[in-house]
Amino acid sequence: MENKKRSFRQSILKSGKSILRALPLIIGVVLLMGLFRIYIPVVSIKNLFKGNILIDTLTGALAGSIFAGHSSTSYIMCGELYKDGISLFAILAFIIAWDTIGLTQMPVEISYFGKKFTITRNILCFIFSILVAAAVTLTLNIL
Amino acid sequence: MKKKKIAELRNRFIFLGITVIITVTMILIDSEKTISALKYSTRILLKILPILIIVLVIMTLVDYFLKKDKISNLLGIKSGIKGFSIAAFSGIISHGPIFAWYPMLNDLRKSGMSIGLVAVFLYTRAIKLPLIPLLLLYFGWKFVLIWFFYMILVSFLLGKIMDITI
């Protein structure tokens, strides 16, 4: 029992040190997120869509990759954009890219998992955001 | 190993230093907007703190109860559908900003978690259970089911591709 207690304390200390080492990165990313959020406001996205499905989908995916913050606001906004007639392709690509790609957290991701992982994952997620948007929209039209 | 950790920590403080310099520069350019940005950042930081505590608890429990070979068995490259299910489910139920989970994923990675399953966890975080009612409201149940299916399918593909390429 005494040995297990010391081992548990060691586990807490080890995990605590990991979190503490992450703090400079976390604070840095949070600062960047705040700047992105205010200087690149999400409300401006409606102006980006021009009515061309292909270009709007690409635009949606690019915009989603850049915008920062909690995606709940994007869900509400996208719902309203959909009501306004923006294509589901574009809206979906935007939401998926927002949730799977992160420009602001790339430095942190690189720090933990390396450049190759981070760049490959984000590029694949960008491609997949467009493919999933297309797949969902086309499947919905068929069913 | 110690030199590598010191270099890593130094780079992290350099990153923080750069973001602080950028923030100070933006204050000089537009103080009102930048202060709004700082207020937003503070709100995010306060939201992250409980998540970091949860991550700390999970990391401690995993480190205490699961040995490396067990983690390798559950989440290693040969863990198959079992490993994928654990990673995908954990990603779906995880909460808070993505970077709060990096320390835990890094520790699991060092203990044998496959890089593909790290990618699966990060991807399935896009399936946000608390926001499903919003999707149902705007797009309907058919949309939600189809979207969920494709997100899971793609996360599986992504995991496989990452395991092969990295």
Side-chain angles (χ1 to χ4, degrees), chain B residues 9-137:
Chain B
L9 201 57
R10 183 196 63 215
N11 291 338
R12 291 177 182 192
F13 275 104
I14 289 172
F15 169 73
L16 176 60
I18 291 169
T19 56
V20 167
I21 289 168
I22 292 171
T23 306
V24 168
T25 307
M26 294 314 291
I27 286 175
L28 296 172
I29 294 171
D30 190 332
S31 60
E32 203 179 316
K33 261 189 171 172
T34 311
I35 287 167
S36 295
L38 284 171
K39 283 181 183 171
Y40 180 79
S41 297
T42 310
R43 281 198 300 271
I44 299 177
L45 212 50
L46 290 171
K47 281 187 187 169
I48 288 174
L49 285 174
I51 308 294
L52 287 177
I53 292 167
I54 292 168
V55 169
L56 175 67
V57 168
I58 295 172
M59 283 172 73
T60 304
L61 293 174
V62 167
D63 185 71
Y64 181 65
F65 287 109
L66 295 179
K67 300 297 168 219
K68 278 189 182 181
D69 56 348
K70 184 75 177 171
I71 293 171
S72 228
N73 182 38
L74 286 173
L75 296 167
I77 201 157
K78 291 179 183 171
S79 58
I81 205 75
K82 175 178 60 180
F84 170 76
S85 304
I86 293 169
F89 179 72
S90 306
I92 291 170
I93 62 169
S94 70
H95 190 60
I98 198 171
F99 49 84
W101 298 91
Y102 288 161
M104 183 197 80
L105 290 170
N106 188 46
D107 269 10
L108 286 171
R109 178 89 187 101
K110 287 175 185 169
S111 300
M113 182 177 187
S114 87
I115 201 75
L117 291 183
V118 171
V120 167
F121 178 95
L122 295 175
Y123 194 82
T124 55
R125 278 181 45 87
I127 302 170
K128 297 186 189 308
L129 293 178
L131 299 182
I132 298 248
L134 267 177
L135 287 178
L136 283 167
L137 176 73

Side-chain angles (χ1 to χ4, degrees), chain A residues 11 14 30 39 80 109 139, chain B residues 34 41 63-64 102 138 150:
Chain A
S11 292
K14 183 188 166 195
V30 167
Y39 283 96
E80 298 305 318
E109 196 170 325
T139 308
Chain B
T34 311
S41 297
D63 185 71
Y64 181 65
Y102 288 161
Y138 282 115
Y150 280 116

